[in-house]
Amino acid sequence: MDISRVGVVGCGLMGSGIAEIAAKSGFQVRVRELNEEFLEAGRNRIKKSLDRAVVKEKLSAEDRDAAWERFSFTTEGAALADCDLVIEAIVEELEAKNELFGELDELCGEGTIFASNTSSLTITDMAAATMRADRFVGLHFFNPVPVMKLVEVVRTIATSDETSDRAFAFAKALGKTPIAAKDNSGFVVNLLLVPYMLDAIRHLERGVATVEDIDTGMAVGCGHPMGPFLLCDFVGIDTLYKISEIMYDEYREERYAPPPLLKRIVALKRYGRKSGQGFYDWSGEKPVPLPI
Ligand code: CAA
Ligand code: NAD
């Protein structure tokens, strides 16, 4: 394994999880955020998750402390210059991602591989904005990263065999199960999962049943670990909306179109669990469905 220093850009829901598992797996991890406030929030998220793993007896206190020693936190792009791999997990917007990759392309060494954790953008659209399309790959992790074993490894027609092989080896070194995905919007899983979540919202719009009953239906009737509305809140309503717009723009198929209700909930800044409200109110011990 010739990757030792890993940069993670964006330390929200996904970036914090990716950074955590990379440090636990022995990699040196440099985490970059937009500003000190978000950096501090990301740092706390990682710390809380590591502490929780110790309480749950999944990690020893010594291993937690050793993992913590492998972290450094920064708001500067230059701190990622000598990373072997940089994984981007920022907001789901092509413009923002390409601005970041353009900057990193100037700063990072020739040998640095770039990876994006995008849910719905194509890797090609980001790789094309850099001078290293052969060293650019998709590494699509699943939420919550410390628990979900899957990583979609996405290669474009420009990704080199070496880059793809190293990305697969990295995913395995994290204890994940990598699958190969083509570079189409939604890769493998989101092509199926995103229309399912959007359909649940459309059912709600039509008055088929309540949020709670649809969730109970899919959890109890089909054995899903959580129903579609809990899942929407869990993924982030803002992120789901952006994913839906990107996939609809790509395919022009109705099943990817954002339902009006999704737009209204985003307008109210009810972004789901991370903001305290979405389809549910998350302020108490258990999520409580909000009136829709
Ligand atoms: N970090 C670390 N561990 C966590 C965790 C987190 N954030 N959340 C839960 N866990 C662990 C718990 O410690 C627990 O472990 P043990 O059983 O060993 O004690 C285990 O996961 C189960 O957790 P809970 O008992 O608290 O709760 P649960 O049984 O409801 O499971 C869940 C929680 C794992 C999230 C489960 O509900 C689940 O699998 N939900 C579906 C998640 C899913 O579909 N993810 C994909 C989202 S889509 C995506 O990621 C792609 C995209 O591009 C949008
Ligand atoms: P999030 O909103 O929780 O976190 C995004 C973070 O990126 C924020 O903390 C923000 O401050 C930071 N950020 C924004 N621009 C930045 C920049 N230029 N430099 C550094 N940091 C910046 O979002 P998330 O849910 O973690 O999603 C991140 C990416 O992962 C998106 O592309 C999303 O589609 C993808 N993804 C999300 C999920 C999910 O379930 N939420 C699953 C798989 C993939």
Side-chain angles (χ1 to χ4, degrees), residues 184-197:
N184 51 259
S185 173
F187 309 133
V188 176
V189 172
N190 282 344
L191 271 181
L192 297 168
L193 187 65
V194 170
Y196 160 71
M197 289 193 276

Side-chain angles (χ1 to χ4, degrees), residues 14 20 24 49 52 56 58 117-120 140-148 189-190 193-194 197 225-226 231 234-235 239 243 273:
M14 295 304 289
E20 177 190 333
K24 282 197 294 201
S49 186
R52 173 184 156 146
K56 289 237 169 189
K58 287 181 182 168
N117 182 53
T118 183
S119 301
S120 53
H140 185 218
F141 291 83
F142 288 77
N143 183 12
V145 180
V147 183
M148 308 314 273
V189 172
N190 282 344
L193 187 65
V194 170
M197 289 193 276
M226 51 171 63
L231 189 58
F234 196 68
V235 164
T239 303
I243 292 170
R273 191 165 86 149

Side-chain angles (χ1 to χ4, degrees), residues 101-102 105-106 110 114 126-136:
F101 281 122
D105 205 23
E106 304 258 315
E110 287 280 296
F114 287 175
M126 289 171 266
T130 70
M131 302 297 284
R132 61 181 83 209
D134 56 323
R135 283 152 287 152
F136 209 121

Side-chain angles (χ1 to χ4, degrees), residues 21-245:
I21 56 161
K24 282 197 294 201
S25 306
F27 295 93
Q28 297 293 323
V29 181
R30 298 190 188 146
V31 176
R32 182 191 178 193
E33 255 292 348
L34 272 180
N35 57 40
E36 288 298 335
E37 185 194 340
F38 293 142
L39 193 62
E40 184 59 19
R43 194 193 336 242
N44 287 337
R45 197 175 290 116
I46 295 170
K47 193 157 192 318
K48 208 169 141 190
S49 186
L50 285 170
D51 288 344
R52 173 184 156 146
V54 173
V55 171
K56 289 237 169 189
E57 296 181 348
K58 287 181 182 168
L59 190 70
S60 70
E62 295 73 40
D63 286 347
R64 172 198 57 197
D65 296 344
W68 195 245
E69 286 296 308
R70 296 187 194 105
F71 278 107
S72 59
F73 294 89
T74 183
T75 56
E76 302 297 325
L80 307 180
D82 65 346
C83 285
D84 304 305
L85 169 70
V86 175
I87 306 171
E88 166 277 313
I90 70 167
V91 63
E92 186 74 341
E93 284 170 15
L94 184 61
E95 208 176 299
K97 290 188 193 281
N98 279 351
E99 192 181 319
L100 169 73
F101 281 122
E103 179 204 0
L104 292 176
D105 205 23
E106 304 258 315
L107 292 170
C108 292
E110 287 280 296
T112 307
I113 294 176
F114 287 175
S116 174
N117 182 53
T118 183
S119 301
S120 53
L121 293 163
T122 69
I123 303 303
T124 309
D125 282 344
M126 289 171 266
T130 70
M131 302 297 284
R132 61 181 83 209
D134 56 323
R135 283 152 287 152
F136 209 121
V137 73
L139 280 174
H140 185 218
F141 291 83
F142 288 77
N143 183 12
V145 180
V147 183
M148 308 314 273
K149 289 280 181 208
L150 186 70
V151 177
E152 292 177 320
V153 179
V154 188
R155 67 181 298 173
T156 73
I157 54 173
T159 307
S160 70
D161 288 345
E162 187 193 336
T163 301
S164 177
D165 291 348
R166 290 173 77 192
F168 264 93
F170 175 70
K172 284 186 185 154
L174 298 180
K176 298 296 184 194
T177 304
I179 60 169
K182 277 195 183 166
D183 187 31
N184 51 259
S185 173
F187 309 133
V188 176
V189 172
N190 282 344
L191 271 181
L192 297 168
L193 187 65
V194 170
Y196 160 71
M197 289 193 276
L198 300 176
D199 268 351
I201 300 171
R202 283 189 262 271
H203 277 12
L204 186 66
E205 285 176 333
R206 283 186 215 117
V208 165
T210 62
V211 163
E212 203 171 15
D213 283 348
I214 295 173
D215 270 357
T216 303
M218 293 312 292
V220 178
C222 298
H224 288 202
M226 51 171 63
F229 294 105
L230 277 170
L231 189 58
C232 289
D233 273 12
F234 196 68
V235 164
I237 307 284
D238 52 338
T239 303
L240 178 62
Y241 178 60
K242 284 177 196 302
I243 292 170
S244 168
E245 281 207 308

